[in-house]
Amino acid sequence: MDHIATIPHGEITIKDIVTQLCDDGVYPPIFNKKGLMDINLFYVVWKDIKKYLKELETWGITLRWDDGDYYWIHSGRTGGMTTIRIHGQQFKPQLAAEVKRRGIRVIERTMAVGLLLNNGRVVGAVALNVRTNEFLVVKARSTIIATGMVQRIFDPEDGAPWKYKMMYHWCPASAGDAHAMAYRAGAKLVNMEFSSWYCRLIDDKTIMFGSLTDGDGLSTRIVNAKGEVVSPHAFMSMEKYIEEEEKGCTPLYFDVPSNPEAHQRKREISTADERPISLKYLKDRGWDYRTHRWELHGTKPLALTKFMAGIVVDESLRTDIDGLYAAGDCVQVGGAVTGAVATGFRSAQGAAEAARKIQVPEIDETQVTEAKEKIFAHLKVKDGAEPLEFETKIRMICERYGGTFRSEGKLKEGLIRLSDVRRDWLHRIAASTPHELMRALECHNLIDLAEIHLRASLMREDTRASFFRKDFPLRNPEWD
């Protein structure tokens, strides 16, 4: 981690930020999104972000620069000094130290598999230790789920996805566990048809995308194959990409060599803060920021769109199921560090207040037995499919039939293929180790979310934001 963005500062207020975030064509990279995001929810959840960051500092989290002050940098998205640079390598260890200091019990190496309900209220979860296969039942007066975004229904952001199957830009554990568990428990999801495409890298290992967007206050321009400037900064709309494609001017590149020398040095510091392994990749390949251009993907989905797709929550981060709260990238308002911090604090407050009013819950043993049988069924399968083999099939279907350019025929074909895979192979995934069993259980989540994504895409007869239907190429006012 090297920065925290969208913090009100100077003349830029939180109202300015959430308006830009949720409005049409103002806050790149997702344009034409008005009406898809709850601006009031963003305002209520994010308005105290500076207070939350101050609280983190009292826990020992380092948010200040070497000189002891905040290092504010300009953001092209908000038009002001609304991002702080940090040395983020110690962020998680410092958080872990505070958790330990408070005596909070942490169950390590354990995957939540399903939620338990009693009379329509979430009363806990079943879980699996992914190193020992120990089965756990967790009782809870209040439950918060926060497992990140939905990313692995698509191929990773890499030039060789068949080899580097988990080389994702965001956390490679992002299989949408929270979305899937909430959905199966009956919670509502929103905007699950939207997948991100915004000027991403074919090779994400060697340079950080964040250093191209607002890296230390400078956004890197995009040029086409002729060297002509397509965008003065690191964002552009899909329509602009299509225009360059039809003119025969692709591929497009981030013109990294055009950045001034002082910025190149800052980029190296930023990379060392967030992902130092990239510096090794660069050295091994003989690449240099000062001479090498980075090519953009053509048209590839990356994940379900952050800030848009997610579990429906209210202002306290409670879902529409009693006893269940959600935070982080799995909810619309939880994107990036700012959203994670804000939703983390608010969901904890809401869940704690509710828990004080609830008696120790009763667990339905029938649910537990059924969940346990389903979890361990994969250990009994002989000569079946490997979990990653099944997962890559899901990715192929979503890339091919639910990719950037969708149509009714493609989406229906994708749903047929998903149905076939579910019917013929889901129960035939074999697991012989705890790690393989974890991957097999992720496949249940991934195929549910892939189907949700394709069905939602089929329902939306419209084009807007990061969603494109070739058979409905214009924005449909009926969907406003």
Side-chain angles (χ1 to χ4, degrees):
M1 186 188 306
D2 71 323
H3 70 277
I4 302 176
T6 52
I7 305 169
H9 182 64
E11 296 181 356
I12 306 296
T13 67
I14 190 63
K15 183 178 180 180
D16 295 329
I17 288 174
V18 298
T19 300
Q20 292 167 339
L21 181 68
C22 300
D23 208 347
D24 275 351
V26 177
Y27 188 102
I30 306 300
F31 299 86
N32 303 317
K33 57 190 178 297
K34 191 171 185 177
L36 297 171
M37 301 157 74
D38 187 339
I39 189 170
N40 292 324
L41 181 62
F42 271 88
Y43 176 80
V44 171
V45 174
W46 285 25
K47 63 183 177 65
D48 292 324
I49 183 59
K50 296 186 87 168
K51 180 180 75 173
Y52 298 147
L53 293 175
K54 290 283 189 182
E55 178 70 11
L56 288 182
E57 288 191 285
T58 69
W59 298 357
I61 311 300
T62 304
L63 299 180
R64 296 172 188 259
W65 204 243
D66 302 336
D67 59 4
D69 203 353
Y70 297 117
Y71 181 178
W72 292 98
I73 62 174
H74 183 269
S75 169
R77 308 188 206 189
T78 64
M81 305 287 279
T82 57
T83 296
I84 57 171
R85 278 276 287 111
I86 65 171
H87 295 307
Q89 286 198 38
Q90 294 303 310
F91 195 97
K92 288 183 179 179
Q94 289 169 341
L95 276 178
E98 177 65 8
V99 168
K100 183 177 181 180
R101 186 188 70 80
R102 293 183 178 219
I104 298 170
R105 183 186 179 191
V106 177
I107 306 175
E108 299 278 9
R109 304 293 187 182
T110 300
M111 172 190 184
V113 180
L115 298 170
L116 297 171
L117 291 96
N118 189 332
N119 294 322
R121 179 183 180 83
V122 171
V123 293
V126 292
L128 179 76
N129 186 296
V130 300
R131 291 294 183 270
T132 66
N133 274 353
E134 180 186 1
F135 178 79
L136 294 92
V137 178
V138 181
K139 289 184 179 181
R141 291 183 173 92
S142 292
T143 301
I144 304 173
I145 48 178
T147 66
M149 60 203 311
V150 180
Q151 189 172 216
R152 279 170 38 201
I153 62 172
F154 303 115
D155 282 333
E157 190 177 350
D158 192 88
W162 57 89
K163 182 178 181 181
Y164 302 106
K165 295 182 176 66
M166 297 292 175
M167 189 62 74
Y168 287 94
H169 175 78
W170 293 291
C171 176
S174 298
D177 296 357
H179 301 73
M181 287 190 294
Y183 170 74
R184 289 194 291 264
K188 292 180 180 178
L189 307 178
V190 67
N191 292 336
M192 295 295 284
E193 65 269 38
F194 288 89
S195 59
S196 297
W197 180 94
Y198 42 94
C199 321
R200 301 299 300 217
L201 297 152
I202 282 182
D203 188 339
D204 183 63
K205 295 190 293 292
T206 51
I207 193 169
M208 296 187 310
F209 184 65
S211 76
L212 301 172
T213 56
D214 291 332
D216 233 286
L218 178 68
S219 191
T220 302
R221 69 187 187 185
I222 298 172
V223 298
N224 61 22
K226 298 180 179 180
E228 300 165 338
V229 177
V230 173
S231 172
H233 49 69
F235 297 111
M236 65 178 180
S237 66
M238 177 61 79
E239 289 81 0
K240 182 61 178 174
Y241 177 85
I242 295 170
E243 177 187 328
E244 294 297 315
E245 186 79 59
E246 292 177 346
K247 285 163 47 179
C249 293
T250 56
L252 304 183
Y253 302 88
F254 289 109
D255 189 14
V256 179
S258 68
N259 295 156
E261 176 60 24
H263 186 76
Q264 303 288 17
R265 291 197 295 271
K266 290 179 179 180
R267 173 178 282 117
E268 291 171 350
I269 297 172
S270 173
T271 304
D273 285 332
E274 177 158 326
R275 200 171 62 193
I277 189 63
S278 290
L279 298 175
K280 182 181 187 305
Y281 281 129
L282 280 171
K283 182 178 179 180
D284 291 348
R285 297 185 183 192
W287 292 0
D288 191 327
Y289 294 137
R290 296 153 183 82
T291 58
H292 187 79
R293 299 185 303 181
W294 268 260
E295 186 181 344
L296 279 69
H297 269 298
T299 51
K300 181 194 174 335
L302 303 166
L304 298 193
T305 307
K306 189 160 54 175
F307 294 121
M308 291 174 60
I311 302 166
V312 175
V313 294
D314 64 15
E315 294 175 359
S316 66
L317 281 300
R318 189 177 74 88
T319 71
D320 57 336
I321 301 179
D322 283 344
L324 183 63
Y325 296 75
D329 280 330
C330 65
V331 298
Q332 188 176 88
V333 289
V337 180
T338 303
V341 171
T343 58
F345 272 98
R346 287 191 67 89
S347 64
Q349 293 163 358
E353 289 173 6
R356 295 187 188 101
K357 306 172 185 177
I358 304 297
Q359 298 298 317
V360 176
E362 293 184 7
I363 299 296
D364 182 349
E365 293 298 333
T366 301
Q367 291 182 46
V368 174
T369 300
E370 291 175 351
K372 189 172 184 179
E373 290 176 355
K374 181 178 179 180
I375 288 170
F376 290 109
H378 294 287
L379 295 176
K380 302 175 183 177
V381 177
K382 306 300 180 184
D383 299 321
E386 295 180 5
L388 200 51
E389 181 182 9
F390 185 93
E391 180 175 335
T392 52
K393 185 65 175 179
I394 294 173
R395 297 181 191 178
M396 184 279 289
I397 292 171
C398 287
E399 291 268 352
R400 173 70 182 90
Y401 302 103
T404 304
F405 299 113
R406 307 165 182 88
S407 65
E408 180 180 359
K410 289 174 68 176
L411 292 166
K412 286 184 174 179
E413 180 66 23
L415 285 166
I416 290 171
R417 290 176 181 262
L418 274 180
S419 177
D420 290 345
V421 171
R422 183 192 291 273
R423 181 192 65 234
D424 297 337
W425 287 103
L426 184 59
H427 67 285
R428 294 170 65 186
I429 299 174
S432 59
T433 67
H435 183 83
E436 288 181 347
L437 184 55
M438 173 189 71
R439 293 288 183 227
L441 296 174
E442 287 177 334
C443 287
H444 287 264
N445 297 336
L446 290 167
I447 197 164
D448 282 350
L449 294 168
E451 181 176 348
I452 291 168
H453 176 58
L454 295 189
R455 289 196 182 280
S457 298
L458 186 60
M459 290 177 64
R460 178 172 285 279
E461 298 178 343
D462 176 50
T463 286
R464 71 180 66 205
S466 59
F467 184 85
F468 299 86
R469 279 283 297 264
K470 294 294 285 185
D471 45 352
F472 294 95
L474 302 177
R475 182 167 177 163
N476 184 350
E478 294 182 5
W479 287 83
D480 286 348

